[in-house]
Each structure stands twice: as C-alpha cells, then as structure tokens.
Amino acid sequence: MTATTDITDAPERAVPPIALAIAGSEASGGAGAQTDLKTFHQLGVFGCTALTCIVSMDPKAGWDHRFVPVDPQVIHDQIEACATVHTAIDAVKVGMLGTAATIDVVDAALEEYRFPNVVLDPVLICKGQEFGTALEVDNALRSKILPRATMTTPNLFESATLAGMEEITSVAQLKDAAKRIHDHGVPNVLAKAGPSLGTGTALDVFYDGETLEVLEVPAVGTKRVHGAGCTLAAAVTAELAKGATPLQAAITAKEVVSASIGMRGNIPFTYVYQGWYQG
Ligand code: PXL
C-alpha cells in the first residue's frame, strides 16, 4: 500500500488537466510563475511550478529586475517532483530561464520527461540583465530549448531575433517571421505584435505550416502591459492542456489577455488580473 492510500480517505474526484510552468518568480505577482498559476487556475487547469529564478523589481533603480538564479539541481528536483507526483502533465509552459546553466538543466529535463505540449515564451532579454550574458543565454535558448517547443509565442523583438530579421514594422513582415520561425522546426508559432503595429487592434500571427491566420481583437490601450505576454502563453498552455487545438488555444488566449488588462499599482506599467476573465 502506498503512503497516499494510508493517509487519505477523502472521496476521489476527477483529476483536472495539469500544466507545469517552468518559470521565474516575479514577486509582485504581475508576471512569471505567479501569473502562470493564476491563469491556469482561472481556466480550470491545475498548476504546478519549477521556479528558475527569483525576480524582485527595484523601486530605487527604475524598477530594474533584481535577478537571482535558482540552483540547477533544485530546478531539476522541482521538475522531477511535478512529473512524478502527478499521473500526467498535459502541457508545459517554459518562461524565463535566464542563465546558460538553467537552460542546460531544463533541456535535460525536457529530454527526460518528453511532455506532450511544450509552449516556449522565449523571454530573451530581461530588464537589468547585462548584455553579454543576455546574448549567451539567447543563443542557448535558441539552440537547445526552441527545438523542443511544440509552440512558441515570441513578441515583436523576439520574433525578429529568432527569424534573423532586422526589425518588424508591418503585418507582412510579422507573417514572414512566423514562417521563418516555423521553418526552424517549431510546429506552431504565435508571433505577437499586440498593439505595436499601429493597427488599432491587438494583432498576432498564427502559423502551423498550413494555416496562416492574423488574429485580431480590439486593442486595450497602446502601451506595454506588464505580464500580458506571460498571461497569453500561460493561457495557450492551459487551453492545450484541456485539449484545444493550437489555433483555438491562441484565439482563447487573446480573449483572456484582453479581459485581464487594467490593474494599476505604483509602477508605470499596467498590470493584468486574470480573475476578470469569465470564459
Ligand atoms: O514578462 C516577462 C517576465 C517573465 N518572467 C519573469 C519576469 C518577467 C518580466 O518582468 O519577471 C520572472
């Protein structure tokens, strides 16, 4: 008899879909693993986490990110715990990794556990990170983690970087970037512009090798929203965990983000609150 059956006599209920976030902690709750968990929960998915780093915004330095990596062995142990405690992990979101050592341990864990859906939010540069380190980390992310993703959700800057383009200033270029990233071996690409192409909408491009869709919803403001990208990728992950197709997951995720924007604090960015989304 296992320890579990020894200590529980509660009636058994159906297990919800389960998603794992391999992501950084952003203490204020606006981005990172905290956002992932709240998004999973709001969409009816059980969330678990492997924290890769601890980020604390610095009020004395323009809200720069104070960044402390988690020991690679501890990252491994967290993924092992999640993968073995639960009978199945239905989808994984990979968020901020931050160091080459973290990328190595996540790479090995993705090889070991072969999770069915891996959504990579390719957080390339973190505010306050030193450029030299950032470049090394970006290259490792591209060569080791990107090929393991079944879907990726790059923003404009990340799309241009991953596609090897100077910059992206039009919908046509964003479509081109989505195709190029797909050609690098990622089956599903959601290349995000949000409100940044001046279309008056929040516009993203989805490409899966056959379907090329421009997804648009009314823009909610024009400025950067803290945690919107994390929420979008987490919502995609939750929907995939529930069995949605990648395109349908992307469509729902955009609705989740639109509904969640609008919380304010003392920082100059708007926050997201996933509790406002009522599917
Ligand atoms: O939004 C990107 C992001 C992801 N993960 C963590 C972060 C941030 C941005 O602040 O802190 C942990």
Side-chain angles (χ1 to χ4, degrees):
M1 214 192 287
T2 66
T4 316
T5 45
D6 277 346
I7 59 167
T8 181
D9 61 0
E12 192 169 335
R13 301 176 69 177
V15 177
I18 298 180
L20 162 65
I22 302 175
S25 163
E26 193 278 84
S28 79
Q34 286 83 351
T35 291
D36 296 338
L37 278 182
K38 287 181 272 188
T39 306
F40 294 162
H41 184 78
Q42 194 66 16
L43 294 174
V45 169
F46 181 98
C48 54
T49 54
L51 294 183
T52 55
C53 58
I54 312 290
V55 170
S56 325
M57 284 189 273
D58 187 351
K60 298 176 288 310
W63 310 104
D64 260 8
H65 295 173
R66 291 172 290 197
F67 167 87
V68 180
V70 170
D71 184 296
Q73 182 62 44
V74 178
I75 298 172
H76 165 272
D77 295 350
Q78 294 174 86
I79 299 173
E80 178 186 60
C82 294
T84 52
V85 162
H86 299 296
T87 41
I89 301 282
D90 299 293
V92 174
K93 182 198 146 174
V94 180
M96 187 163 150
L97 298 177
T99 76
T102 299
I103 288 174
D104 283 342
V105 76
V106 170
D107 177 28
L110 293 176
E111 171 68 24
E112 182 174 354
Y113 294 108
R114 301 264 161 192
F115 300 112
N117 295 293
V118 177
V119 178
L120 173 64
D121 191 17
V123 182
L124 287 186
I125 290 199
C126 171
K127 199 164 175 251
Q129 244 185 335
E130 205 225 307
F131 188 70
T133 328
L135 199 63
E136 184 203 356
V137 172
D138 292 358
N139 288 335
L141 189 75
R142 211 171 322 165
S143 64
K144 295 180 177 163
I145 308 296
L146 194 66
R148 298 195 179 279
T150 55
M151 184 153 174
T152 188
T153 58
N155 64 23
L156 268 193
F157 168 74
E158 293 155 354
S159 291
T161 309
L162 295 177
M165 295 162 71
E166 282 271 297
E167 57 172 357
I168 297 171
T169 55
S170 69
V171 178
Q173 284 174 331
L174 190 62
K175 287 181 181 171
D176 188 28
K179 285 185 177 165
R180 290 189 196 203
I181 297 166
H182 176 269
D183 291 347
H184 288 329
V186 189
N188 300 282
V189 180
L190 183 62
K192 307 176 294 187
S196 306
L197 291 177
T199 52
T201 60
L203 182 151
D204 305 329
V205 168
F206 174 87
Y207 185 60
D208 65 4
E210 285 173 17
T211 306
L212 181 72
E213 288 266 355
V214 176
L215 307 177
E216 283 181 283
V217 294
V220 187
T222 55
K223 299 262 167 25
R224 207 196 127 187
V225 175
H226 182 58
C230 295
T231 302
L232 188 88
V236 164
T237 308
E239 290 302 304
L240 292 176
K242 286 153 69 177
T245 64
L247 175 58
Q248 192 53 55
I251 291 168
T252 305
K254 288 183 67 63
E255 287 168 10
V256 174
V257 173
S258 297
S260 303
I261 293 173
M263 187 181 144
R264 298 284 155 81
N266 290 323
I267 66 168
F269 303 139
T270 303
Y271 265 53
V272 279
Y273 172 54
Q274 296 77 14
W276 286 320
Y277 176 75
Q278 301 297 330

